[in-house]
Structure formats: C-alpha cells, structure tokens
C-alpha cells in the first residue's frame, strides 16, 4: 500500500470554496528508462485519480508517463454539506488505493 497525504479543512461554511491537496508515494516509472542492467524498466504509473464528495465525483484526472513520481494533485470544490470525500488512485499492475476524509459543513 502506498503512503498518501490528504490535506483539506476539517470544517467549512456552506458555499465556501475549499482547497484539497493530495500526494501519493509512487515511483511513476515511464517504461522508457533503462535500468542498471541496460534493460528497459517496465511501465508502472498511476493512470487515474478521482475524488468523490458524498458519492458524487467532484474531480478526476487521467495521468500519463510524463508526470513526476509521487504525484501531488491540488484542486478546489465547494463545501455543500457535511460528509465524506473519497480519493481513489488506479494504475498499472492492478494498482488501486482508496482513502477518505471527513468534512463538517456549517450554516
């Protein structure tokens, strides 16, 4: 399981725009780089990322070999109601990881 960091406010006011930051520890090997033995290292990238807010997708991205290792994604959404944000990373070699965080929305 890869190490993840998720940063978002614990509370927000209804209608407030909130910033969400995610980082996942992943090598993101392109499949083009030779290893120490001269053989090309197999591709191993995260291909998709999505964020759901109480089950509804609020952000998604497709990632490609040109992205850096340990992808850091920053995006914004509007705080509409208290609930759970679910973050899913999917990639090569059947890689899949899901994390979640709670937010409390006030009047």
């Amino acid at each position: 399981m890869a190490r993840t960091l998720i940063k978002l406010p614990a509370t927000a006011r209804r209608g407030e725009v909130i910033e969400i930051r995610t980082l996942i520890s992943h090598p993101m090997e392109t499949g083009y780089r030779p290893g120490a033995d001269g053989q090309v290292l197999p591709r191993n990238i995260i291909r998709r990322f999505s964020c759901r807010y109480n089950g509804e997708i609020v952000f998604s991205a497709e990632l490609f070999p040109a992205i850096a290792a340990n992808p850091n994604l920053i995006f914004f959404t509007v705080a509409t109601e208290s609930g759970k944000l679910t973050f899913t990373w999917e990639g090569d070699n059947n890689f899949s990881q899901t994390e979640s965080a709670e937010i409390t929305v006030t009047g």
Side-chain angles (χ1 to χ4, degrees), residues 7-23:
K7 184 178 178 185
L8 69 144
T11 62
R13 291 188 317 186
R14 187 174 321 279
E16 182 179 350
V17 175
I18 58 170
E19 179 181 70
I20 301 170
R21 294 174 173 258
T22 67
L23 178 111

Side-chain angles (χ1 to χ4, degrees), residues 67-90:
I67 194 140
N70 308 320
N72 178 31
L73 299 170
I74 302 168
F75 56 96
F76 298 86
T77 192
V78 176
T80 56
E81 61 188 0
S82 296
K84 182 165 53 169
L85 287 104
T86 306
F87 307 90
T88 303
W89 294 264
E90 299 173 85

Side-chain angles (χ1 to χ4, degrees), residues 4-99:
T4 61
L5 296 172
I6 298 168
K7 184 178 178 185
L8 69 144
T11 62
R13 291 188 317 186
R14 187 174 321 279
E16 182 179 350
V17 175
I18 58 170
E19 179 181 70
I20 301 170
R21 294 174 173 258
T22 67
L23 178 111
I24 187 165
S25 178
H26 193 279
M28 298 296 280
E29 187 56 58
T30 66
Y32 300 119
R33 189 171 65 92
D37 62 358
Q39 298 295 314
V40 174
L41 297 170
R43 182 178 126 147
N44 182 14
I45 68 167
I46 294 173
R47 292 179 281 119
R48 282 189 278 291
F49 170 80
S50 64
C51 174
R52 294 179 181 269
Y53 187 175
N54 288 336
E56 184 178 331
I57 289 184
V58 292
F59 180 83
S60 66
E62 288 188 43
L63 307 177
F64 296 91
I67 194 140
N70 308 320
N72 178 31
L73 299 170
I74 302 168
F75 56 96
F76 298 86
T77 192
V78 176
T80 56
E81 61 188 0
S82 296
K84 182 165 53 169
L85 287 104
T86 306
F87 307 90
T88 303
W89 294 264
E90 299 173 85
D92 293 338
N93 306 316
N94 295 319
F95 176 82
S96 181
Q97 185 158 336
T98 301
E99 302 287 340

